[in-house]
């Protein structure tokens, strides 16, 4: 997968037509030197110019992979009654390392406590939960006393790092902080920091309610980029936006801020991806962005909702800040072959995670049926 790059440099090309040597955009023309044939060529060029521009735009349009649901979904189910993940399993993050697929997920129980679990697989479809789950749980005190997760995994030179959402007080919604922990092995033990590395915005800001890490990228210059979901009221299920933050060391983060927006809710920072227009399938929510760096730019799979159905969309960007939605969104929803061993209506498809393995593309996601807390599924494409 790569961004389409059409060569349409209309303002910089050097043209030599007949005896007239000129540059578009410079206005340095000597009409007396133009022959009759040159004039006709110019006329043809300007007649075809709108078509040329239209073609460039079509070639530049985002083009995602087509996915089809796995016949034996779900690939991971919630635990038995009384277990730490009895209520749901969600927010998959999959790492392929040393011939094994490691699936990190967030689980929760009926008391509202959430933690991070691990499951492994040899083929990316058949997963077995780690016996030592959860691998990272609430600390019973401090900023992550009650909730830990979901977790975003990153490979460093000498260890693994996880960035995770957390909160100190009971509740089913995401918390106002992002924590960081490190481990030598993917199964742990994970050693957490004493303080959060990032927190939600001040009162009145667009992310003053919660801040949920979605993707962390290590860039070629040695710095880091984090994409996160922010919002004011999780229970309200509206105005979920995607923000971005930068870091040079992975510990101190600075949120993206457009200096031209000086009033709340965008005085301190600005989202890089907002909800769709009124009437769009993602007019209420745009969140849980899984961002990947590819040659020439970035791609994003994200969850969107209009308040009734939640599905997965796709977008592309050259700089990771300005994004263009795929015109055919959503790219994965109820029509994409949900073959599961359960019966009932699927109302939610969210929390996407994209993974390329050899020639196969995996799209892991969370889904719900009959408006009940759900499981983790997978779709594949080539």
């Amino acid at each position: 997968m790569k961004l389409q790059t059409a060569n349409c440099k209309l303002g910089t090309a050097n043209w030599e037509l007949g005896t007239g040597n000129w540059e578009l955009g410079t206005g340095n023309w000597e009409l007396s030197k133009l022959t009759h044939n040159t004039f006709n060529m110019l006329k043809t060029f300007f007649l075809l110019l709108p078509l040329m521009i239209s073609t460039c735009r079509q070639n530049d349009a985002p083009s995602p992979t087509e996915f089809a649901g796995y016949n034996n979904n779900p690939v991971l189910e919630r635990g038995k009654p009384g277990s730490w993940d009895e209520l749901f399993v969600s927010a998959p993050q999959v790492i392929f390392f040393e011939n094994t697929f490691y699936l990190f997920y967030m689980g929760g129980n009926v008391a509202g406590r959430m933690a991070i679990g691990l499951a492994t697989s040899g083929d990316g479809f058949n997963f077995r939960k780690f016996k030592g789950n959860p691998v990272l749980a609430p600390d019973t005190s401090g900023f992550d006393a009650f909730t830990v997760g979901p977790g975003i995994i990153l490979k460093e030179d000498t260890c693994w790092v996880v960035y995770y959402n957390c909160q100190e007080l009971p509740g089913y919604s995401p918390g106002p902080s992002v924590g960081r922990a490190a481990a030598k092995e993917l199964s742990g033990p994970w050693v957490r920091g004493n303080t959060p590395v990032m927190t939600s915005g001040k009162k009145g800001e667009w992310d003053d309610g919660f801040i949920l890490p979605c993707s962390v990228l290590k860039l070629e210059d040695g710095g880091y980029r984090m994409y996160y979901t922010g919002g004011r009221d999780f229970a309200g299920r509206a105005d979920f936006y995607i923000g971005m933050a930068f870091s040079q060391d992975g510990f101190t983060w600075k949120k993206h801020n457009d200096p031209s927006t000086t009033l709340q809710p965008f005085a301190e920072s600005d989202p890089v991806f907002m909800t769709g227009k009124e009437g769009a399938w993602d007019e209420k929510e745009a969140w849980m962005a899984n961002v990947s760096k590819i040659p020439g730019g970035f791609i994003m799979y994200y969850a969107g909702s209009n308040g009734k159905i939640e599905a997965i969309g796709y977008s592309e960007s050259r700089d990771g800040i300005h994004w263009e939605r795929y015109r055919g969104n959503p790219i994965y929803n109820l029509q994409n072959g949900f073959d599961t061993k359960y019966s009932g209506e699927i109302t939610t498809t969210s929390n996407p995670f994209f993974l390329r393995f050899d020639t196969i593309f995996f799209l892991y996601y969370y889904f719900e049926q009959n408006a009940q807390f759900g499981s983790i599924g997978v779709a594949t494409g080539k």
Side-chain angles (χ1 to χ4, degrees):
M1 297 180 65
K2 62 182 180 181
L3 296 176
Q4 301 296 319
T5 54
N7 293 321
C8 299
K9 300 179 181 179
L10 300 179
T12 59
N14 292 324
W15 289 57
E16 187 173 339
L17 302 176
T19 60
N21 187 14
W22 53 283
E23 291 187 2
L24 287 179
T26 64
N28 187 18
W29 294 23
E30 296 184 29
L31 295 178
S32 61
K33 294 183 181 180
L34 296 177
T35 66
H36 179 72
N37 290 336
T38 302
F39 177 78
N40 287 334
M41 294 176 69
L42 285 173
K43 181 171 69 174
T44 301
F45 166 73
F46 284 109
L47 287 174
L48 293 175
L49 182 59
L51 178 61
M52 294 169 62
I53 295 174
S54 175
T55 302
C56 291
R57 288 174 179 169
Q58 290 176 7
N59 290 339
D60 280 340
S63 180
T65 298
E66 293 185 5
F67 291 98
Y70 175 52
N71 289 337
N72 293 317
N73 275 327
V75 296
L76 196 72
E77 301 178 75
R78 54 188 176 180
K80 297 179 180 179
S83 63
W84 73 276
D85 57 356
E86 63 180 339
L87 189 61
F88 66 85
V89 292
S90 68
Q93 294 274 321
V94 183
I95 305 295
F96 183 76
F97 182 67
E98 294 183 345
N99 298 317
T100 300
F101 291 84
Y102 291 82
L103 190 159
F104 288 84
Y105 66 96
M106 181 174 69
N109 61 18
V110 294
R113 294 178 67 87
M114 303 176 204
I116 298 174
L118 172 65
T120 58
S121 169
D123 60 8
F125 298 100
N126 299 286
F127 285 90
R128 176 176 295 182
K129 293 180 180 178
F130 178 55
K131 291 183 179 180
N133 277 337
V135 294
L136 189 62
D139 200 24
T140 70
S141 64
F143 67 97
D144 57 358
F146 195 81
T147 294
V148 168
I152 311 302
I153 310 298
L154 184 68
K155 179 72 170 70
E156 292 285 21
D157 293 336
T158 60
C159 67
W160 294 91
V161 171
V162 59
Y163 294 91
Y164 59 94
N165 173 261
C166 47
Q167 63 177 330
E168 185 175 358
L169 303 175
Y172 287 102
S173 65
S177 303
V178 175
R180 182 186 185 277
K184 294 291 185 180
E185 304 291 338
L186 283 166
S187 58
W190 292 89
V191 179
R192 72 192 79 204
N194 294 323
T195 58
V197 296
M198 195 162 68
T199 58
S200 56
K202 294 180 181 178
K203 185 176 181 180
E205 287 296 300
W206 68 276
D207 59 350
D208 67 357
F210 65 92
I211 183 170
L212 189 65
C214 305
S215 295
V216 179
L217 306 178
K218 191 171 183 179
L219 305 180
E220 295 177 356
D221 63 2
Y224 300 82
R225 181 178 293 192
M226 179 189 295
Y227 291 89
Y228 62 93
T229 299
R232 308 196 65 183
D233 178 19
F234 187 77
R237 305 299 298 187
D239 298 331
F240 293 1
Y241 304 145
I242 296 167
M244 185 182 69
F246 301 93
S247 176
Q248 291 301 316
D249 58 8
F251 292 89
T252 303
W253 294 85
K254 183 178 181 180
K255 297 178 182 178
H256 168 70
N257 183 41
D258 183 347
S260 66
T261 56
T262 59
L263 301 177
Q264 287 188 331
F266 306 121
E268 288 186 343
S269 66
D270 292 82
V272 296
F273 196 87
M274 301 182 72
T275 50
K277 298 179 181 179
E278 184 177 355
W281 71 279
D282 56 356
E283 65 174 336
K284 295 288 187 181
E285 302 172 10
W287 70 312
M288 295 304 292
N290 177 234
V291 179
S292 301
K293 182 74 174 70
I294 63 172
F298 301 81
I299 60 173
M300 174 199 295
Y301 290 91
Y302 70 99
S305 174
N306 59 8
K308 297 179 181 179
I309 298 296
E310 192 164 7
I312 296 172
Y314 175 81
S315 185
E316 291 182 359
S317 172
R318 297 197 182 280
D319 60 6
I321 298 175
H322 304 91
W323 294 86
E324 182 182 359
R325 283 172 164 84
Y326 173 54
R327 296 175 185 174
N329 277 339
I331 59 102
Y332 198 78
N333 57 20
L334 307 186
Q335 309 304 318
N336 290 81
F338 280 95
D339 291 322
T340 76
K341 61 184 180 182
Y342 302 120
S343 61
E345 181 184 13
I346 298 175
T347 55
T348 292
T349 313
S350 66
N351 297 182
F353 184 87
F354 174 79
L355 175 68
R356 180 172 182 172
F357 177 71
D358 290 337
T359 60
I360 301 176
F361 299 107
F362 289 88
L363 185 67
Y364 294 91
Y365 55 86
Y366 167 78
F367 71 93
E368 295 178 2
Q369 289 181 281
N370 300 322
Q372 299 293 318
F373 287 115
S375 306
I376 292 173
V378 68
T380 58
K382 292 185 177 181

